Amino acid sequence: MELDLAALRTFAAVIDEGTFEAAARTLHITPSAVSQRIKALEQQVGRVLVQRVKPARATDSGRVVLTLARQVAHLEQETMASLNPNTAQTSTLPLVVNADSLSTWMIPALARLAPEHRVLFDLHREDEYHSTALLREGTVMAAVTSVSEPVQGCTVETLGSMRYRALCSREFADHWFPDGPTAEALAVAPMLDFDRKDELQARFLRGFTRRRVHPPRHFVPGSSAFSDAVHYGLGWGLLPELHTGSDHGLVELDPARPIDVPLYWQRWKLESPLLTALTGAVREGAREALR
């Protein structure tokens, strides 16, 4: 079965733009032509690919085809760049990265790519335990993730581990932990979470207290803001060593109990010079920054 390239391109445009009408404007065709192409593609694969809602969403089968559509578009662009290097268009690489990697080692790693690659990055921020969902949906080409099981159609390799330490300001420790960070004190001392997916603090609590405790929580969804909240005494939380270094001026709740979060690089299983170069840059950056 040979899938029509124009239909694949149209399908990706519908998902990217959210409606058939917006996709038609992007592709400079009529909405009727968009509808006909999508209908023909669905008939060809024998599956419904698009949920006709606003914004349009890919079905489970549609996500598989969407990944193919994006891979074909990427290979088309790389082929044209190889044939016409002087007029090559800039490539866009959509990636998903966890917030702490994004705010520490990932940007310097991406900057290692040579200028001749002519690449733009479309960076998505997602929790390291949930980032593979964007790979499955075909939204991104690669991910920094804590999931070691490769997504279908992807390769995976170990990058290293990011070490976190439970920290608070000295004023916070004096107020909430006058006798040290006991289980009783941790049950009532305000805790910081990045968002409602953040399990690091809960993981530390389980290991430290050996019981279920439910302290009051602040939600601070930004790496720099989260670090500031710890320094200003809003609550205690786990900060990456890459953020704080050794001279951080904070109190560590339990120096013997750091948490190491393993990170992996998952990328499309695709023969792509650009993805290969990107993987090399990420691998080198991780080797220098992670444990």
Side-chain angles (χ1 to χ4, degrees):
M1 178 174 62
E2 295 183 3
L3 299 181
D4 181 68
L5 294 182
L8 288 174
R9 196 176 296 115
T10 302
F11 173 51
V14 167
I15 301 304
D16 288 341
E17 301 300 327
T19 66
F20 284 39
E21 292 76 14
R25 288 193 295 271
T26 298
L27 298 172
H28 306 292
I29 59 178
T30 66
S32 176
V34 170
S35 181
Q36 289 172 11
R37 289 181 184 181
I38 297 300
K39 187 178 296 184
L41 184 61
E42 290 179 327
Q43 289 175 346
Q44 189 175 15
V45 300
R47 305 285 181 88
V48 175
L49 302 178
V50 181
Q51 297 180 46
R52 269 81 168 168
V53 294
K54 288 190 177 181
R57 293 195 297 267
T59 63
D60 290 343
S61 297
R63 293 189 189 101
V64 177
V65 177
L66 182 61
T67 298
L68 173 63
R70 298 202 193 286
Q71 289 177 342
V72 168
H74 178 72
L75 291 175
E76 280 185 319
Q77 191 170 33
E78 284 204 329
T79 299
M80 295 306 297
S82 298
L83 293 173
N84 304 286
N86 295 328
T87 60
Q89 294 182 344
T90 300
S91 297
T92 297
L93 291 180
L95 315 172
V96 60
V97 185
N98 64 302
D100 288 331
S101 291
L102 196 57
S103 65
T104 52
W105 65 273
M106 190 62 174
I107 297 300
L110 297 180
R112 295 173 185 269
L113 276 181
E116 58 263 26
H117 285 296
R118 298 172 62 87
V119 62
L120 297 173
F121 296 107
D122 179 8
L123 297 175
H124 298 251
R125 188 190 70 189
E126 182 55 272
D127 178 88
E128 59 267 24
Y129 293 100
H130 299 86
S131 52
T132 51
L134 296 180
L135 271 175
R136 290 191 186 90
E137 294 169 3
T139 302
V140 299
M141 297 180 179
V144 175
T145 177
S146 283
V147 179
S148 60
E149 184 69 23
V151 171
Q152 184 177 6
C154 292
T155 63
V156 61
E157 65 178 86
T158 301
L159 292 175
S161 293
M162 182 172 282
R163 172 159 289 185
Y164 291 81
R165 295 190 177 276
L167 302 168
C168 67
S169 70
R170 187 158 300 280
E171 293 77 13
F172 186 93
D174 290 343
H175 179 80
W176 292 100
F177 308 133
D179 300 317
T182 63
E184 292 73 18
L186 283 166
V188 296
M191 183 177 81
L192 294 163
D193 274 340
F194 187 86
D195 56 26
R196 285 163 178 79
K197 297 177 183 176
D198 186 0
E199 292 290 329
L200 273 181
Q201 282 68 224
R203 179 176 162 189
F204 174 84
L205 276 178
R206 286 193 299 270
F208 187 92
T209 65
R210 303 296 179 182
R211 66 178 74 169
R212 285 184 174 275
V213 295
H214 303 283
R217 294 191 294 170
H218 298 288
F219 295 99
V220 186
S223 292
S224 295
F226 189 98
S227 178
D228 288 344
V230 172
H231 279 84
Y232 282 103
L234 200 62
W236 70 269
L238 280 103
L239 294 177
E241 280 187 340
L242 289 173
H243 259 165
T244 61
S246 57
D247 186 23
H248 44 63
L250 298 170
V251 175
E252 187 165 1
L253 274 60
D254 187 353
R257 201 183 299 275
I259 289 183
D260 290 336
V261 175
L263 295 176
Y264 302 89
W265 177 245
Q266 294 213 33
R267 52 157 284 193
W268 286 350
K269 193 183 296 181
L270 199 65
E271 291 299 324
S272 161
L274 187 53
L275 272 178
T276 298
L278 172 65
T279 297
V282 169
R283 187 185 296 133
E284 187 175 349
R287 187 184 303 119
E288 293 179 359
L290 302 179
R291 289 180 170 268

